[in-house]
Amino acid sequence: MEEPNLESLINQAKTATKTPIQSVQPVTVNEVNKTNVEEESQIAFYLPKTLYKKVKLLALEQGVTIKTILNQSIEKYIKDIS
């Protein structure tokens, strides 16, 4: 029996298999949400557990994020004292 030509088999496999190549590109916040996104700063602070549970429950009921509730609350507080 004749030994197969390995180079020919390799070339045949390369041409027969056309696997699509995926390109992964990082996505920034501005690309995900094309609206006017303000630059943000990350902060960390402690809340009493009972207050956190109330805010979390309210966010769930309203269908918004805790971040949205906190941002709106801070903006209202600033408006009220100005």
Side-chain angles (χ1 to χ4, degrees):
M1 188 164 169
E2 194 175 308
E3 191 172 310
N5 182 350
L6 289 180
E7 263 188 63
S8 131
L9 288 174
I10 291 172
N11 288 334
Q12 188 179 5
K14 283 181 182 178
T15 56
T17 309
K18 295 288 183 188
T19 305
I21 298 174
Q22 260 185 319
S23 176
V24 178
Q25 301 291 328
V27 178
T28 62
V29 173
N30 291 336
E31 291 172 352
V32 172
N33 186 0
K34 298 252 181 200
T35 59
N36 190 9
V37 177
E38 243 184 275
E39 188 175 334
E40 297 179 335
S41 295
Q42 183 176 2
I43 62 169
F45 57 93
Y46 292 94
L47 286 176
K49 283 187 179 186
T50 55
L51 181 58
Y52 175 70
K53 287 179 182 180
K54 289 177 185 177
V55 171
K56 191 173 181 179
L57 182 61
L58 182 63
L60 183 62
E61 289 171 352
Q62 298 290 322
V64 296
T65 63
I66 294 173
K67 174 183 167 184
T68 300
I69 292 175
L70 294 178
N71 284 342
Q72 290 174 351
S73 300
I74 293 169
E75 286 175 5
K76 183 181 181 322
Y77 176 79
I78 291 171
K79 182 182 171 189
D80 289 349
I81 64 168
S82 297

